[in-house]
């Protein structure tokens, strides 16, 4: 048997000892015999057995590459789902209720000075009556925002419009009794309108988040309806007051606000409440 090149190189060195020569040759032959015996006992290496099934990187050197013929797979066409349509039915009920609410609040604005003069209120008292709802909104807007997230949008909307209706009707009834009788009802108007506006604004945001491609149109529709209410409400309130008297204007505003509460009651809740 041939001697490995490494050992042969050592043997070719000048002056190599004869005994060392025999020891090295014997070790080399013993090593080769052990390798051959182990190969016969275990069979061919796994890489040679699986040469036709494994990639070319695992094949023995010099073996021809094996081409794997994979079945042709037809291309899969991924069709995107159409975007959801805007919930125009819910949006219509929501903005219609907001129209009634803002009409009720705005139509009593031109009637208040006329009614206050007949009741003997001064200019300072009239200013207090007009400013009280705005001051109440300023105080309760932030707490109502937290309540809209914890209790839901719908309870604030329904309860707020009921409070607003009570405040408007109470303002018409208490007007002849002076400033101190009017302030509590004007506070109710401010707190109720703030509750309703916070809840309805959050619901509009929820509805538009579900269809972001329609968000601008939903927001624009809501703002347009509110602007129309404040543009036509004072004119409507003045016409009703001149035709049927100032108390009739407050009564019409209160009834319209209660109708708004009924519209809000038809809407489902849009926020998922966390379990207690």
């Amino acid at each position: 048997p041939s001697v490995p090149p490494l050992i042969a190189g050592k043997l070719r060195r000048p002056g190599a000892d004869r005994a060392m020569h025999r020891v090295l040759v014997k070790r080399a032959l013993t090593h080769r015999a052990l390798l051959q015996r182990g190969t016969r006992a275990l069979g061919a290496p796994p890489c040679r057995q699986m040469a036709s099934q494994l990639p070319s990187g695992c094949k023995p050197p010099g073996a021809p590459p094996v081409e794997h013929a994979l079945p042709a797979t037809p291309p899969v066409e991924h069709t995107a789902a159409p975007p959801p349509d805007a919930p125009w039915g819910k949006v219509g009920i929501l903005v219609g209720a907001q129209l009634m609410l803002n009409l009720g609040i705005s139509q009593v604005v031109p009637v208040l000075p006329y009614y206050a003069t007949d009741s003997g209120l001064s200019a300072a008292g009239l200013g207090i009556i007009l400013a009280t709802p705005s001051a109440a909104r300023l105080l309760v807007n932030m707490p109502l925002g937290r309540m809209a997230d914890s209790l839901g949008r719908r309870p604030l909307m329904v309860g707020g419009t009921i409070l607003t209706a009570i405040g408007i009707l109470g303002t018409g009834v208490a007007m002849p009794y002076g400033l101190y009788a009017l302030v509590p009802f004007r506070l109710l108007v401010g707190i109720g309108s703030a509750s309703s506006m916070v809840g309805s604004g959050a619901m509009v945001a929820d509805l538009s988040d579900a269809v972001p491609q329609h968000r601008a149109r939903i927001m624009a529709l809501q703002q347009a309806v509110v602007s129309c209410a404040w543009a036509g409400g004072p004119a409507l309130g003045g016409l009703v007051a001149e035709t049927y008297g100032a108390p009739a204007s407050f009564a019409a505003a209160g009834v319209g606000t209660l109708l708004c509460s009924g519209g809000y009651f038809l809407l489902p809740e849009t926020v998922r409440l966390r379990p207690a």
Side-chain angles (χ1 to χ4, degrees), residues 66-164:
V66 179
E67 296 182 0
H68 301 277
L70 298 178
T73 317
V76 180
E77 296 182 0
H78 298 279
T79 305
D85 196 9
W88 293 116
K90 298 177 183 177
V91 174
I93 296 176
L94 180 59
V95 298
Q98 286 183 335
L99 175 66
M100 298 303 298
L101 174 64
N102 286 276
L103 276 175
I105 296 174
S106 63
Q107 75 177 16
V108 301
V109 173
V111 183
L112 281 173
Y114 173 77
Y115 208 180
T117 302
D118 287 350
S119 301
L121 287 178
S122 63
L126 178 60
I128 293 174
I129 292 175
L130 293 175
T132 300
S134 298
R137 293 189 198 103
L138 180 63
L139 293 176
V140 301
N141 264 338
M142 294 300 293
L144 288 173
R146 290 191 291 270
M147 291 177 62
D149 291 332
S150 59
L151 299 178
R153 283 67 160 121
R154 194 162 164 261
L156 266 69
M157 294 160 60
V158 175
T161 49
I162 293 175
L163 287 179
T164 305

Side-chain angles (χ1 to χ4, degrees), residues 2 19 22 35 61 65 75 94 111-112 140 150 170 177 191 197 213-214 220 226 244 248 254-255 260 269:
S2 60
R22 287 193 298 269
L35 288 178
L94 180 59
V111 183
L112 281 173
V140 301
S150 59
Y177 299 98
I191 296 172
M197 291 176 184
Q213 68 275 13
H214 297 290
V226 172
Y244 301 102
V255 172
C260 169
E269 183 58 65

Side-chain angles (χ1 to χ4, degrees), residues 194-256:
S195 175
S196 177
M197 291 176 184
V198 168
S200 60
M203 182 171 284
V204 168
D206 295 338
L207 294 176
S208 62
D209 284 343
V211 281
Q213 68 275 13
H214 297 290
R215 180 180 289 115
R217 296 173 61 186
I218 294 175
M219 295 291 186
L221 178 61
Q222 181 206 19
Q223 295 300 321
V225 167
V226 172
S227 299
C228 288
W230 282 93
L236 178 62
L239 179 63
V240 172
E242 285 186 358
T243 306
Y244 301 102
S249 180
F250 286 95
V255 172

